[in-house]
Amino acid sequence: QAKKAGRNGICFFDPKMQENITARVLLESDLRNAITDKQFSLYYQMQVDQYGEINGAEALLRWQHPKRGLLLPNDFIALAEETRLILPIGEWVIETACRLIKAWQENETTKHLILSINVSAKQFQQADFVTKVKAIVQTHAIQPSRLKLELTESMLLSDVEDTITKMTALNSIGICFSLDDFGTGYSSLQYLKRLPLHQLKIDQSFVRDIAIDTSDQAIVRTIIAMAQTLNLTVIAEGVETQEQRQFLMDNGCTHFQGYLFGKPMSLEQFEMRLGINAVDDIGH
Ligand code: C2E
Ligand code: MG
Ligand code: MG
Ligand code: MG
């Protein structure tokens, strides 16, 4: 192994670092081909209400890499953001989601379902984000209220006025918003009440130990109270056990998502769970 650091702690040559750079460059070029080669797909994780009824799903991005197998967002989203490849990828996600909503709204057993998608900061900050989303929604002639966009606190805080303008514009045609990973950022009630939000999504880090950790219990109670004050629905993510679900229910949480109900799954599997025949091929 080469010498790690020079006399002043300056790094001259670190083979590990070189390896990382090479891996990154390779992944970036693979990422460029992934859209045209149709390597992305969406998995769907059900969202259930307090009666256990499925009332929607969150679409989660997957990358079927030709050599490395199925990759999760944590393996490539950061790189996609740095290289701005998240813009075409994100657009593909919105397109695909709208095509599915269109298929669902044509079927009696699925027309009530709401599909949530994740939007990255770079995507939301595009000047023409609103125009793009509206165009896709119109092209597919979907009921906009079936589409929910998941945003995170940090991306909304960077330019509050711009955020409000964009959310209001999309909300005026019926698109709704959920604040993802809620509790991990720094939003105040003062700020939240200015946003046209519909839902707070309790981050899974607070749910994990909720049965035993009294500070997590207090945080979750506070989030639920905030949601009630602001007239928002509240969904908990990462619900894995009956105990977690029970605590959340007892404290007023009405919507749930997590392995307890179902893992993210392919469209075919998801529709099997819904008990319907697979919707016509929508190009997954
Ligand atoms: P997220 O939006 O907070 O999604 C929840 C993550 O928790 C998902 O990971 C999901 O598979 C996982 N999860 C769900 N239920 C459970 C559970 O009961 N226990 C545990 N331990 N985990 C659970 P995933 O699919 O790997 O996605 C990770 C993150 O990547 C997402 O976090 C989201 O921020 C981002 N992401 C996913 N799809 C997209 C996308 O299409 N566009 C963008 N920009 N980001 C995406
Ligand atoms: Mg999400
Ligand atoms: Mg989340
Ligand atoms: Mg999360």
Side-chain angles (χ1 to χ4, degrees), residues 58 118 150 180-182 201-204 237:
E58 176 175 7
N118 293 282
E150 295 195 1
D180 204 354
D181 304 335
F182 190 73
K201 192 166 195 182
I202 303 173
D203 189 64
Q204 59 188 58
E237 68 176 11

Side-chain angles (χ1 to χ4, degrees), residues 258-274:
Y259 297 165
L260 178 63
F261 310 95
K263 292 199 167 175
M265 52 188 107
S266 70
L267 182 63
E268 292 68 27
Q269 288 175 307
F270 183 69
E271 291 185 336
M272 238 148 58
R273 285 292 298 266
L274 290 170

Side-chain angles (χ1 to χ4, degrees), residues 41-88:
S41 65
L42 292 178
Y43 270 37
Y44 299 88
Q45 187 178 33
M46 66 180 71
Q47 299 183 330
V48 307
D49 64 17
Q50 70 256 60
Y51 311 108
E53 302 278 351
I54 300 174
N55 58 20
E58 176 175 7
L60 294 157
L61 189 60
R62 299 291 181 261
W63 178 12
Q64 187 63 55
H65 189 281
K67 294 204 193 75
R68 299 174 55 190
L70 193 68
L71 300 184
L72 297 172
N74 285 345
D75 300 321
F76 62 88
I77 287 281
L79 183 64
E81 292 196 338
E82 284 167 43
T83 55
R84 299 185 72 80
L85 287 166
I86 194 65
L87 300 181

Side-chain angles (χ1 to χ4, degrees), residues 167-207:
M167 288 177 72
T168 306
L170 290 171
N171 190 222
S172 73
I173 65 162
I175 292 172
C176 47
F177 292 95
S178 182
L179 206 41
D180 204 354
D181 304 335
F182 190 73
T184 60
Y186 300 92
S187 322
S188 64
L189 269 174
Q190 190 62 31
Y191 165 66
L192 287 177
K193 77 170 190 202
R194 298 184 58 204
L195 303 178
L197 271 175
H198 297 79
Q199 186 173 67
L200 296 184
K201 192 166 195 182
I202 303 173
D203 189 64
Q204 59 188 58
S205 63
F206 304 117
V207 173

